Amino acid sequence: MSEENGVNPDKDLNAQNLPGQRGDHGEVIDVRRGMFGGSTGGDTSGYGGLVRSVRLPGASNRPYGGWFDEVADELEGALEEQDLLPENAIEKTVVDRDELTFHIAREHLVQVATTLRDDPALRFELCTGVSGVHFPGDKGRELHAVYHLRSITHNRLIRLEVGCPDADPHIPSIVPVYPTNDWHERETYDFFGIVFDGHPALTRIMMPDDWQGFPQRRDYPLGGIPVEYKGAQIPAPDQRRSYT
């Protein structure tokens, strides 16, 4: 990576364009040790001495830039017309890496999604799905559901993010607003255990119906089974020796 103004972003931990690193900005939710942050089975990467903070980007200040302000203004105005205070529905607005994300309170998700779809100045007609994210260190909102919305009319792409606690993993379904989200919500439920209230048939879609646990949560055991190859036994990943 080329140096700019005498600073090598690969060496400067405060460089804002270093992938996965935001320096002193944002909200610290965890400290990761080693290359991959694994806590069991040992770190065989050779980078066991790494210590990095895990940060989520904080709220952005206006002006956001470009059409981001137009979308934010229109959304807030449309919610006010429905007698919903924007600050009650939008927990924070984040502009990070040239992408716009609205963090939405889960109880207002359906109303916000409907507004984004139907308002003529917004017209986000397409939801391309929902993905789950698990941040065990983000206390009180360990599970996140992330939605990508596209406006075909205005050629714009935004993101909605909704958090919920591990102890109460419920988020309203938006299948009534975006019917194509049906199987995406089932997959996120299957792998992360987020319960989408109001979904027409919230059942597992990949794992067996009687499977215990949610395999893509970060605290799910790595597991595996030993593999025999030409008479040698290769242990499961969480049983391999550490070389650090």
Side-chain angles (χ1 to χ4, degrees):
M1 187 176 294
S2 61
E3 295 189 10
E4 184 177 355
N5 299 326
V7 176
N8 185 342
D10 286 331
K11 298 178 181 178
D12 180 9
L13 292 181
N14 289 316
Q16 292 302 295
N17 59 343
L18 189 63
Q21 181 64 253
R22 293 185 172 85
D24 296 329
H25 302 277
E27 178 185 357
V28 178
I29 63 168
D30 200 3
V31 175
R32 180 172 297 170
R33 301 179 184 276
M35 176 64 78
F36 305 108
S39 58
T40 60
D43 185 347
T44 62
S45 68
Y47 292 88
L50 287 179
V51 179
R52 294 167 63 96
S53 60
V54 179
R55 298 174 183 267
L56 298 180
S60 301
N61 297 318
R62 288 178 179 270
Y64 303 137
W67 53 265
F68 292 173
D69 291 279
E70 180 183 342
V71 170
D73 289 341
E74 184 61 36
L75 176 58
E76 292 174 6
L79 294 177
E80 288 178 342
E81 291 176 359
Q82 302 172 54
D83 297 323
L84 175 59
L85 292 176
E87 56 267 30
N88 290 341
I90 305 173
E91 296 175 338
K92 66 177 178 179
T93 301
V94 175
V95 176
D96 186 59
R97 292 171 170 83
D98 296 323
E99 296 179 341
L100 176 63
T101 303
F102 295 107
H103 289 251
I104 306 300
R106 56 179 173 174
E107 62 269 23
H108 298 299
L109 173 61
V110 174
Q111 185 173 355
V112 170
T114 303
T115 302
L116 287 166
R117 183 194 65 183
D118 295 344
D119 189 283
L122 296 169
R123 280 285 187 259
F124 286 90
E125 306 99 335
L126 177 64
C127 178
T128 58
V130 58
S131 301
V133 188
H134 185 209
F135 293 115
D138 194 12
K139 300 304 181 184
R141 51 181 184 181
E142 293 87 356
L143 295 168
H144 293 227
V146 182
Y147 306 81
H148 296 271
L149 305 184
R150 178 174 293 279
S151 171
I152 300 173
T153 299
H154 302 293
N155 191 26
R156 294 169 174 172
L157 181 66
I158 65 172
R159 181 187 295 111
L160 301 183
E161 189 164 337
V162 182
C164 65
D166 194 2
D168 181 28
H170 290 264
I171 292 176
S173 171
I174 62 169
V175 169
V177 184
Y178 296 106
T180 54
N181 223 43
D182 188 332
W183 74 267
H184 293 278
E185 290 185 2
R186 287 181 59 196
E187 183 180 57
T188 303
Y189 161 72
D190 194 356
F191 288 148
F192 290 91
I194 298 176
V195 179
F196 294 94
D197 295 325
H199 188 283
L202 194 63
T203 57
R204 290 190 182 272
I205 192 171
M206 302 291 287
M207 307 301 293
D209 290 339
D210 58 352
W211 190 267
Q212 298 297 314
F214 306 103
Q216 288 190 351
R217 289 196 184 186
R218 293 180 185 270
D219 55 4
Y220 191 81
L222 194 59
I225 58 175
V227 178
E228 184 173 341
Y229 181 72
K230 292 187 176 180
Q233 284 282 342
I234 309 300
D238 61 345
Q239 299 171 8
R240 295 174 189 171
R241 59 179 288 193
S242 171
Y243 295 93
T244 56

